[in-house]
Amino acid sequence: MFQHISGRILMTVLMYIFIFLCMRIMGKREIGKLSVFDLTISIMIAEIAIFSIEDIERPIYDGLVPMATLVLIQVLVAQFSLKSRKLRLLIDGKPSILISNGKLHRGEMRKQRYNIDDLLLQLRGQNIDSPADVEFAILETSGQLTVIEKNKGISSSNQSGNSSSTAEVREKTKPSEENSAGSVKLPSHKIRYEGLPIPLIMDGKVQDHNLEMIGKTRFWLRTQIRQKGVSDFRDVFLCSINHKGEIYVDRMDMR
C-alpha cells in the first residue's frame, strides 16, 4: 500500500517537473496566449501525463517519449513559422474585423460563430456602451477581442471643457439628424431612463419588453428605422438606444 502511494507521488512529481520543462522550452508565448495549435499540444501533453500517473505499472518512457515528441513538433513549427508568414496564417489563422467605423460585420461574425450577445458582453467589459463608439473591433487569433474606440485621442480636459457646449448641441438636435456612425439623435429629455444602451431589435426581432420599459411603441420604432432607410424590422441586425436618446441602427448583412 505504501509503495503504491509513494509510486504515484513520485510519478506525479516527475510529470510536473517534465511538463514544467516542456512549457519553458515551448516559450513564454504559450502562457500569454494559446492558438488552436498551441491548445491542442497542451491538451495532449496533459492527457498523456494523466495516463502515465494512473498506470504506474507501465514503463515511464511510454509517457515521456510522446510528450517529448509533441514538444519537438511545437518547437519546430514555431521556428518555421518565424520565417514563413504563410505557415503562420495556416496554423494560427487571420484576425477577423467584427466592427469597423461603428458598422457590424454580420457575415464575419457568423463565420466566427460570434453572436451579438457575446460581442456586446465583450464591449461592456472594456467600458464601451455601444458599437457606434467603436472604430475597430478585431477578433484576434487567440480569441481576444481588441477594441479601438473613436476619438480616443481626445484628452479628458478637452472633454470636460466642451461638456456644456456638447449638451446644448444635443438638446437642439432634431430627430432627423444622423451622425457618422448611423445613429439618430433624439432630444434627451424624452428618454426617462439611465444606464447601458437597451437593445430594441436583435437579429431582426423586436424586443417588446424593452420598448415598454422606455414607454415607446412599435410604430415609433418603425419611424426611427425608416429614417435610416430600413423599412422592415427583419432587415435590422441590431438597434439600440442609450440614455441620451441616441438610436444606433445596424442593418442586416445581405450577403
Side-chain angles (χ1 to χ4, degrees):
M1 181 67 178
F2 177 77
Q3 292 181 349
H4 182 76
I5 295 176
S6 61
R8 287 191 177 275
I9 292 175
L10 180 61
M11 180 63 70
T12 302
V13 172
L14 182 61
M15 286 295 112
Y16 170 78
I17 295 174
F18 189 78
I19 292 176
F20 177 79
L21 293 175
C22 289
M23 292 297 147
R24 290 299 299 268
I25 294 173
M26 292 166 67
K28 294 182 179 180
R29 174 175 176 268
E30 307 309 311
I31 302 174
K33 79 175 185 69
L34 291 176
S35 64
V36 176
F37 176 75
D38 300 328
L39 183 62
T40 303
I41 294 290
S42 300
I43 292 175
M44 291 185 67
I45 290 177
E47 288 293 329
I48 293 173
I50 292 174
F51 292 147
S52 300
I53 294 174
E54 288 180 347
D55 189 4
I56 59 176
E57 301 297 331
R58 298 177 60 180
I60 191 171
Y61 58 79
D62 282 358
L64 297 183
V65 171
M67 293 169 67
T69 302
L70 290 173
V71 173
L72 180 62
I73 292 174
Q74 197 281 335
V75 171
L76 290 176
V77 170
Q79 289 295 327
F80 286 128
S81 64
L82 290 175
K83 303 177 181 179
S84 173
R85 186 171 185 272
K86 290 183 178 181
L87 182 60
R88 288 199 301 271
L89 295 178
L90 178 64
I91 295 175
D92 295 334
K94 296 187 296 183
S96 302
I97 299 178
L98 304 184
I99 304 176
S100 62
N101 195 28
K103 169 66 178 178
L104 295 168
H105 296 281
R106 187 169 182 265
E108 191 64 30
M109 290 176 63
R110 188 189 305 113
K111 180 180 178 182
Q112 301 299 328
R113 290 173 291 280
Y114 210 87
N115 61 54
I116 186 65
D117 294 309
D118 292 336
L119 181 59
L120 294 177
L121 175 64
Q122 293 294 326
L123 293 179
R124 289 195 297 269
Q126 302 194 38
N127 297 321
I128 298 176
D129 295 338
S130 171
D133 301 327
V134 177
E135 185 72 29
F136 286 104
I138 304 171
L139 183 64
E140 307 291 353
T141 56
S142 62
Q144 178 183 356
L145 186 68
T146 300
V147 180
I148 302 173
E149 296 182 61
K150 291 183 178 179
N151 302 324
K152 195 171 184 180
I154 298 178
S155 62
S156 57
S157 60
N158 290 339
Q159 290 179 348
S160 60
N162 295 333
S163 58
S164 59
S165 61
T166 303
E168 293 176 1
V169 172
R170 284 174 177 165
E171 190 67 25
K172 296 178 182 179
T173 303
K174 296 180 180 179
S176 60
E177 293 177 352
E178 301 171 1
N179 62 11
S180 59
S183 299
V184 180
K185 294 187 176 180
L186 300 175
S188 57
H189 64 274
K190 291 186 178 181
I191 304 300
R192 302 175 179 269
Y193 65 93
E194 296 288 338
L196 294 172
I198 296 177
L200 303 180
I201 304 175
M202 297 181 70
D203 290 319
K205 297 180 180 178
V206 178
Q207 309 298 306
D208 291 300
H209 59 286
N210 289 340
L211 277 175
E212 294 176 3
M213 183 173 64
I214 64 174
K216 299 297 181 181
T217 63
R218 285 199 173 204
F219 178 78
W220 171 85
L221 181 59
R222 188 181 299 274
T223 301
Q224 304 308 315
I225 65 173
R226 280 179 176 174
Q227 293 179 8
K228 288 299 300 172
V230 184
S231 59
D232 198 300
F233 295 137
R234 291 175 295 181
D235 297 331
V236 178
F237 180 46
L238 173 66
C239 174
S240 64
I241 185 170
N242 62 16
H243 68 279
K244 300 173 185 177
E246 297 173 343
I247 294 182
Y248 173 82
V249 178
D250 189 85
R251 302 184 63 172
M252 284 281 191
D253 190 349
M254 300 303 178
R255 292 178 299 173

